[in-house]
């Protein structure tokens, strides 16, 4: 029984999925983030091995005919030293097939549709939109990283939650749900302690505050309502930047924010702007595994079974 494997390696987590050539799911694995721009490359590569090893547990890795690594930060593979680390991680998991690296955008788009063309928007720890043609990303918007971009992402949400809390503290205003939750999560009681706590950790750790925004949104917190609305608009701007006004090809949304209030608002925003199907997908590893199956069987490869 021949197998294929796909991975979705993001900034926060890495998921691996093993399929047979009928699309049946045979194994899955989960590990920490493997974006070599967000983590030391050696750590990121170790997470690839961890996720693959878990997914292949009880299976014969020699039967894996094709593997695709969908990866945030795929451009780092241009560095031979980084590529060697990931190739070694692949082999430590027992894989002998070539490791084909694609962007997380290409894997995410394949998760939502078998169409060769369209738009994908990834809204997770970071944010990026890609124009897809023949399953390849041929244009992009965003994806600049936390320091100069990632508008609407979980990092952005977390940062905005902290900034909103600091504004209220500066004004000595009453603190509502979001601000109180931010202080509690940071282990802070005042403005100075919050600033110190946030700056003591790596910047990407701001994404830990993103779930607080969703929770406060459901309770009607005005700061959370404003943050969610703005995030959806910014993400829709990012997607629209890679589409022409007459484009009717599908739009695939994927990432950790898609099942949150941001994702709901984002879908509504895109439907209002675009004459296109908007598909909400949640499993980039499935898209990567399907692309691996396409390498073996061609474009008629069965889609992964839910």
């Amino acid at each position: 029984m021949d197998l294929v494997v796909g991975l979705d390696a993001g900034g926060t987590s890495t998921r691996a999925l093993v399929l047979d050539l009928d699309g049946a799911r045979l194994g899955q694995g989960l590990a920490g983030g493997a974006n070599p721009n967000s983590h030391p490359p050696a750590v990121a590569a170790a997470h690839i091995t961890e996720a693959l090893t878990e997914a292949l547990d009880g299976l014969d890795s020699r039967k894996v005919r094709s593997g695709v690594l969908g990866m945030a930060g795929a451009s780092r593979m241009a560095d031979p030293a980084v590529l060697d680390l990931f190739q070694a991680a692949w082999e430590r998991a027992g894989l002998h097939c070539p490791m084909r690296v694609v962007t997380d955008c290409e894997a995410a788009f394949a998760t939502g549709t078998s169409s060769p063309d369209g738009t994908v928007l990834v809204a997770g720890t970071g944010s990026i939109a890609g124009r897809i043609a023949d399953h390849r990303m041929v244009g992009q918007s965003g994806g600049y990283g936390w320091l100069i971009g990632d508008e609407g992402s979980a990092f952005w949400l977390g940062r905005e939650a902290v900034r909103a809390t600091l504004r209220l503290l500066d004004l000595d205003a009453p603190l509502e749900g979001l601000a109180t939750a931010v202080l509690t999560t940071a282990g802070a009681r005042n403005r100075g302690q919050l600033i110190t706590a946030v700056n003591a950790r790596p910047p990407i750790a701001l994404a830990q505050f993103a779930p607080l925004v969703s929770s406060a949104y459901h309770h009607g917190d005005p700061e959370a309502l404003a943050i969610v609305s703005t995030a959806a608009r910014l993400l829709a701007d990012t997607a629209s930047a890679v589409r022409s006004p007459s484009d009717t090809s599908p739009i695939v949304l994927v990432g950790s924010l898609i099942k949150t209030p941001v994702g709901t608002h984002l879908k509504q925003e895109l439907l209002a702007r675009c004459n296109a199907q908007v598909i909400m997908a949640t499993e980039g590893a499935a898209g990567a595994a399907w692309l691996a199956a396409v390498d073996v069987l061609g474009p008629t490869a069965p889609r992964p079974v839910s």
Side-chain angles (χ1 to χ4, degrees):
M1 179 177 60
D2 290 329
L3 308 174
V4 294
V5 64
L7 293 96
D8 176 26
T12 302
S13 64
T14 299
R15 298 180 184 275
L17 179 65
V18 182
L19 305 177
D20 66 19
L21 294 182
D22 291 323
R25 298 164 182 259
L26 302 180
Q28 57 187 359
L30 176 65
N35 180 345
N37 289 323
S38 302
H39 305 277
V43 173
H47 290 158
I48 294 294
T49 300
E50 183 180 344
L52 281 171
T53 299
E54 182 178 347
L56 288 163
D57 186 34
L59 300 172
D60 187 349
S61 62
R62 294 170 298 179
K63 293 184 177 180
V64 178
R65 289 185 58 188
S66 177
V68 170
L69 169 57
M71 181 181 183
S75 60
R76 285 296 305 277
M77 292 300 193
D79 182 339
V82 175
L83 178 60
D84 286 347
L85 284 171
F86 278 78
Q87 186 63 54
W90 190 261
E91 294 169 0
R92 279 197 303 273
L95 295 179
H96 301 283
C97 64
M99 178 183 69
R100 181 159 80 89
V101 180
V102 304
T103 67
D104 56 336
C105 285
E106 290 162 341
F109 184 75
T111 297
T113 179
S114 57
S115 171
D117 308 316
T119 302
V120 61
L121 176 66
V122 180
T125 306
S127 62
I128 184 173
R131 173 66 189 164
I132 305 295
D134 194 22
H135 302 296
R136 303 282 184 177
M137 190 162 73
V138 297
Q140 71 180 65
S141 172
Y144 307 138
W146 63 266
L147 183 61
I148 53 177
D150 283 348
E151 288 84 358
S153 68
F155 166 83
W156 184 93
L157 288 172
R159 187 188 65 184
E160 291 305 301
V162 171
R163 293 178 69 182
T165 301
L166 288 169
R167 286 194 297 268
L168 292 172
L169 289 168
D170 286 344
L171 295 171
D172 199 25
L175 301 185
E176 300 198 48
L178 178 60
T180 301
V182 166
L183 287 170
T184 300
T185 300
R189 293 189 299 274
N190 55 48
R191 178 183 185 277
Q193 289 180 357
L194 178 58
I195 293 172
T196 299
V198 169
N199 283 290
R201 302 190 62 192
I204 199 67
L206 279 166
Q208 72 171 317
F209 296 103
L212 305 182
V213 177
S214 294
S215 179
Y217 172 93
H218 289 303
H219 289 90
D221 183 281
E223 296 291 342
L225 294 174
I227 291 171
V228 166
S229 178
T230 302
R233 177 178 54 80
L234 291 171
L235 289 169
D237 289 345
T238 301
S240 298
V242 296
R243 295 176 65 85
S244 67
S246 60
D247 192 350
T248 59
S249 63
I251 303 171
V252 174
L253 310 179
V254 71
S256 60
L257 294 184
I258 299 308
K259 287 191 171 182
T260 72
V262 170
T264 301
H265 279 255
L266 172 60
K267 183 174 183 178
Q268 294 169 348
E269 181 82 17
L270 288 170
L271 287 172
R273 295 189 192 192
C274 306
N275 179 25
Q277 182 183 19
V278 179
I279 303 163
M280 302 179 80
T282 57
E283 197 180 11
W290 182 72
L291 289 174
V294 169
D295 289 341
V296 178
L297 299 175
T300 59
R303 301 288 294 173
V305 178
S306 298

